[in-house]
Amino acid sequence: MLKRRAIYERGGINLQTQEKTVAMEILLPKRWRVSQGRISQGAVIADVWLNPLPAIVQRLRGCGPVTLGVCCLLIAFVSVHDAALVVTNHEVIHEVEQNPIGVWLLDLQDGQVWLFVTVKLVSTALVCAVLITLYKHQRRIAMTVAASLVCFQLSLLCYLTVA
């Protein structure tokens, strides 16, 4: 369902009627005030029709570094949990492992799990480092990728717990 939203751009605009002022004041966040026909933060309002997805992306854009840290911790926790399960079940891991790269790493070491676990944990650290670097340059993309990875990792955790 399409939703009517207000979008703002940089630059000021003189408001021509009181009706627009009231409508814009309702659509703007409380920290932006309309005073004497101008918006104090310098934002121009335009009514457009948007679908809900960009609204979600806009919310991800405003997420801070704490949210990214929580995402990285969740990703790391599930990866460490999976590695612990691999070490705990090292006798049967070659038969039950479904990841083809994991099976290949196990074959390289004749069923020993140390290489598989090391590659898994180093890859997880690399992913978290890339997310942090991406967050410094492209915050919205980084939060979208982090949220996607968290969803995947949580589904993996459910799979590991149930199966």
Side-chain angles (χ1 to χ4, degrees):
M1 181 173 164
L2 295 177
K3 186 173 169 183
R4 190 171 184 150
R5 300 275 313 223
I7 293 190
Y8 52 89
E9 302 170 0
R10 283 288 187 208
I13 186 170
N14 287 326
L15 302 176
Q16 296 171 353
T17 65
Q18 187 65 21
E19 181 180 313
K20 283 186 181 178
T21 303
V22 172
M24 288 184 188
E25 206 167 310
I26 291 170
L27 294 173
L28 285 174
K30 288 184 179 178
R31 66 174 186 249
W32 290 3
R33 298 291 181 215
V34 177
S35 60
Q36 298 173 353
R38 293 189 68 80
I39 299 171
S40 59
Q41 289 286 334
V44 178
I45 305 300
D47 289 331
V48 295
W49 290 89
L50 293 176
N51 62 19
L53 185 60
I56 293 169
V57 172
Q58 289 296 331
R59 286 187 185 157
L60 288 175
R61 184 182 194 185
C63 294
V66 173
T67 307
L68 181 71
V70 169
C71 288
C72 286
L73 284 175
L74 282 170
I75 292 166
F77 169 74
V78 174
S79 182
V80 168
H81 177 70
D82 188 24
L85 287 175
V86 167
V87 171
T88 304
N89 301 316
H90 68 277
E91 296 92 10
V92 295
I93 195 64
H94 199 282
E95 290 86 28
V96 296
E97 180 61 41
Q98 296 180 356
N99 183 354
I101 296 172
V103 172
W104 178 71
L105 289 171
L106 289 169
D107 286 340
L108 282 177
Q109 296 299 315
D110 296 324
Q112 293 183 1
V113 296
W114 66 269
L115 180 63
F116 178 57
V117 171
T118 303
V119 168
K120 181 174 201 47
L121 295 179
V122 167
S123 299
T124 301
L126 182 65
V127 165
C128 290
V130 167
L131 276 177
I132 291 168
T133 305
L134 186 60
Y135 183 81
K136 290 179 181 177
H137 300 289
Q138 294 288 328
R139 184 174 292 181
R140 182 176 43 194
I141 293 172
M143 292 309 299
T144 304
V145 170
S148 301
L149 285 172
V150 165
C151 289
F152 175 78
Q153 289 290 86
L154 290 178
S155 64
L156 176 65
L157 180 64
C158 291
Y159 176 75
L160 292 174
T161 305
V162 173

